[in-house]
Amino acid sequence: MKVTKTNIEGLLIIEPDVYGDGRGYFFESFSKKRYEKFGLRCDFVQDNISKSKKGTIRGLHYQVSEKAQGKLCQVIIGKVLDVAVDIRFGSPSFGKHFAHILDSEKKTQIWIPPGLAHGFSVLSDEAIFSYKCTEYYSKEHERTILYNDPDLNINWQVENPIISEKDLNAKRLKEIDKDFFFIPEQTNL
């Protein structure tokens, strides 16, 4: 397994060891013991799977307070552009985003720590997206940042995006509350 740090502290790219042969492939999508060796110490409480068609953008979502979530994301079928935005006030990368293609061929994962907003766009005909969460979903604690906020300048790599009403009515980054503050000692690595 290879773990790579990104330009946003705590955000990690994980490349699991994949074993393939004429029958197909096998890989460990999560092993607490193995991931802890790489500094990813967390308890997952909920797994989510979504199916979306080409051009769909979901996000940018996050949860606040005691319901803040860390997410371990991967694509089961298809290809997406996965995007995370640092919303930790005081962070050297506050307001910056990181985008990375996740697909079912490479089986790469991305770890998104609490304090980052998350979303993805679907680049293949359809995608099945899976993510493990460190906290349960809470509608009351859920927040959304506008996917096309000009201050973020994210290239989602889709034309004529399909967006939910909730995501279309989201706040801009400059309008969000100060729910997260950057403290380097709190990162996982």
Side-chain angles (χ1 to χ4, degrees):
M1 184 166 88
K2 179 180 174 188
V3 177
T4 306
K5 294 180 181 182
T6 67
N7 63 330
I8 296 178
E9 190 168 335
L11 182 68
L12 305 172
I13 302 298
I14 301 165
E15 299 172 64
D17 296 325
V18 180
Y19 305 96
D21 60 24
R23 300 168 297 166
Y25 65 85
F26 169 84
F27 75 99
E28 249 179 27
S29 62
F30 179 74
S31 165
K32 184 173 180 146
K33 183 169 59 174
R34 175 177 271 184
Y35 281 55
E36 282 180 349
K37 278 194 205 175
F38 287 94
L40 188 60
R41 293 175 186 86
C42 54
D43 290 317
F44 294 110
V45 298
Q46 181 174 318
D47 285 6
N48 298 322
I49 296 177
S50 68
K51 180 180 177 184
S52 306
K53 60 185 181 178
K54 186 172 190 165
T56 296
I57 296 177
R58 294 182 183 264
L60 297 158
H61 304 146
Y62 63 101
Q63 289 188 183
V64 298
S65 193
E66 70 276 359
K67 297 295 183 179
Q69 292 178 317
K71 298 177 182 177
L72 181 63
C73 306
Q74 67 183 36
V75 170
I76 306 300
I77 295 174
K79 180 175 172 180
V80 307
L81 179 70
D82 197 86
V83 177
V85 176
D86 192 345
I87 57 172
R88 300 169 294 187
F89 285 81
S91 169
S93 54
F94 176 81
K96 304 285 188 231
H97 72 275
F98 179 83
H100 188 80
I101 291 181
L102 299 179
D103 66 44
S104 54
E105 293 299 313
K106 294 182 181 174
K107 298 167 189 42
T108 304
Q109 300 172 325
I110 189 165
W111 163 249
I112 300 169
L116 276 64
H118 173 251
F120 64 90
S121 60
V122 179
L123 306 178
S124 53
D125 287 338
E126 70 176 18
I128 297 179
F129 188 87
S130 172
Y131 56 106
K132 302 177 90 50
C133 300
T134 59
E135 187 53 66
Y136 296 104
Y137 170 75
S138 171
K139 185 177 178 89
E140 175 186 344
H141 295 88
E142 183 182 35
R143 305 288 184 271
T144 306
I145 297 173
L146 189 62
Y147 80 98
N148 63 352
D149 183 337
D151 293 330
L152 298 176
N153 195 29
I154 299 169
N155 177 0
W156 292 95
Q157 301 181 21
V158 297
E159 294 180 26
N160 304 314
I162 303 165
I163 314 287
S164 72
E165 187 174 332
K166 174 185 80 171
D167 291 352
L168 286 171
N169 294 314
K171 290 183 176 183
R172 291 186 55 187
L173 177 68
K174 64 184 178 184
E175 299 170 327
I176 68 170
D177 294 329
K178 292 185 176 183
D179 293 304
F180 298 97
F181 292 91
F182 180 73
I183 302 172
E185 298 84 296
Q186 289 185 342
T187 59
N188 286 359
L189 288 179

